[in-house]
Amino acid sequence: MAPIYSRILQAVFYGGAPFFTYPWKPILNYVIGSDYTTAYTHFRRDHKIPANLAAHTLCLCWQLCANFGLLASIDSALGTDAGRKQTPSDTTFTGSRMFSKVSAIAWMLPILTATPCPLPVKALSAAAVWGAFSIAQNFEQYWLEIAALQGVIEALAIQTYIIREPIGGARLVAVAIARQAIQYLVIKYGKGILEKKKTAVNIAVAAFVLAMVTKENVIAKESLTVFHLGFVGWIFAVLTNQPWLFFYAGGFVASVAQGVSHIAAGEMPTLVQMQQNDSSDTLGQEWAHGTFFPNLLLNSIYESITGAAH
């Protein structure tokens, strides 16, 4: 049984979506996270195949967009952006959108100071974070269209994890069509139908997440996990007309997509191995893996191209 503080930090890490950032995440990683060398050693071990690296690049883009879509929704809830279109000052260090901005800047600090890490990798990682921040203000306007794109990822995950067969073929097409049909029907006949009950829905979602992220093994196979929220989160978001819930659940969808990529490539997912590891530093390794993810991915691509890790 892990100490209570470890279980709390595990819940914070996984409950916030493991690859999302918030103002507090880089700070906690500085306190409890493993060093970059350890994080990269684990990451490179499990991310060498080009197809896996390419798929993870797409997952990184999805993670960043969903993350800053959620942060933009939080800014809107806080009242900093209510009823306002994005202005040039929103993408500067002095404009509004403070919750998103502080999160981005706080994340870029460990990204830019990671050692040893090639300078081009650090620069591109930081640019990706700031780029996602810069465009995220517009995501709420198109969240239903984004949900349709997410349906493709969900179809791949359903074929991999539920049907349990290799990706492709007529079954994948059928699943993808069914997923889009369900979204059409949910939007047409159910959009906002539970809006007056959204508090109860949010409490239920929070209770589910809390129960899942405080388990001994958060990613245990053959059991219900917090990542299953990715498959149904968009439905609750549509029924309650809450874009933030869609973006939040999107963080788990992107993580599931990484798992699909690992299975297709034949490389073990890093977080799964960490959860199965009895090391006393498992928690620190998880936090470093989630915090340095942009660096780790681009560093591995850099090493595959140049043959040099640093």
Side-chain angles (χ1 to χ4, degrees):
M1 177 70 70
I4 185 64
Y5 72 88
S6 295
R7 193 59 61 84
I8 292 173
L9 289 171
Q10 173 185 277
V12 172
F13 177 73
Y14 283 99
F19 296 97
F20 273 15
T21 198
Y22 306 91
W24 54 84
K25 186 169 183 177
I27 298 172
L28 288 173
N29 181 68
Y30 178 80
V31 175
I32 66 173
S34 301
D35 59 82
Y36 183 79
T37 298
T38 301
Y40 184 68
T41 298
H42 292 153
F43 189 92
R44 179 61 181 173
R45 176 196 64 200
D46 307 321
H47 302 80
K48 292 181 179 179
I49 296 176
N52 197 20
L53 290 172
H56 271 67
T57 301
L58 297 177
C59 292
L60 173 61
C61 294
W62 197 268
Q63 291 280 9
L64 289 172
C65 289
N67 189 174
F68 282 95
L70 173 61
L71 296 176
S73 294
I74 293 174
D75 274 317
S76 295
L78 293 174
T80 57
D81 294 353
R84 239 176 17 88
K85 292 184 177 181
Q86 179 169 309
T87 66
S89 65
D90 289 331
T91 58
T92 69
F93 287 92
T94 58
S96 60
R97 299 177 56 205
M98 288 308 300
F99 193 83
S100 299
K101 190 167 301 179
V102 170
S103 299
I105 295 172
W107 197 6
M108 287 193 294
L109 290 176
I111 282 175
L112 291 172
T113 58
T115 303
C117 180
L119 181 58
V121 168
K122 292 191 281 190
L124 187 56
S125 298
V129 169
W130 195 254
F133 161 75
S134 299
I135 64 176
Q137 181 72 359
N138 300 313
F139 288 168
E140 278 194 1
Q141 302 176 46
Y142 305 106
W143 71 281
L144 294 175
E145 289 80 3
I146 297 173
L149 293 175
Q150 181 174 287
V152 177
I153 300 176
E154 292 178 26
L156 292 169
I158 290 171
Q159 186 172 33
T160 300
Y161 288 111
I162 298 178
I163 302 177
R164 298 182 181 278
E165 65 180 20
I167 293 173
R171 183 115 56 178
L172 176 61
V173 176
V175 171
I177 292 174
R179 165 58 177 78
Q180 298 302 332
I182 292 172
Q183 178 172 327
Y184 172 80
L185 293 174
V186 171
I187 292 174
K188 183 175 178 63
Y189 298 107
K191 186 174 185 292
I193 197 172
L194 294 180
E195 189 164 3
K196 293 183 179 180
K197 304 288 186 181
K198 64 182 179 182
T199 299
V201 172
N202 293 343
I203 291 174
V205 170
F208 170 77
V209 171
L210 184 61
M212 293 299 102
V213 299
T214 52
K215 297 193 303 182
E216 187 73 28
N217 189 330
V218 181
I219 321 179
K221 291 184 178 180
E222 310 299 338
S223 69
L224 191 64
T225 72
V226 69
F227 297 96
H228 286 91
L229 179 62
F231 292 99
V232 298
W234 68 269
I235 298 177
F236 295 122
V238 173
L239 295 178
T240 58
N241 197 25
Q242 296 185 104
W244 76 265
L245 184 52
F246 163 70
F247 291 119
Y248 172 63
F252 299 107
V253 172
S255 294
V256 169
Q258 292 179 47
V260 171
S261 175
H262 277 286
I263 291 174
E267 293 183 308
M268 275 287 290
T270 307
L271 284 180
V272 171
Q273 295 182 69
M274 289 176 179
Q275 279 281 299
Q276 295 172 346
N277 188 1
D278 291 329
S279 170
S280 60
D281 193 35
T282 294
L283 188 64
Q285 294 170 9
E286 289 174 329
W287 275 81
H289 184 74
T291 302
F292 290 122
F293 179 59
N295 296 64
L296 298 173
L297 173 60
L298 296 178
N299 201 159
S300 191
I301 294 173
Y302 179 91
E303 181 173 352
S304 292
I305 294 174
T306 66
H310 312 302

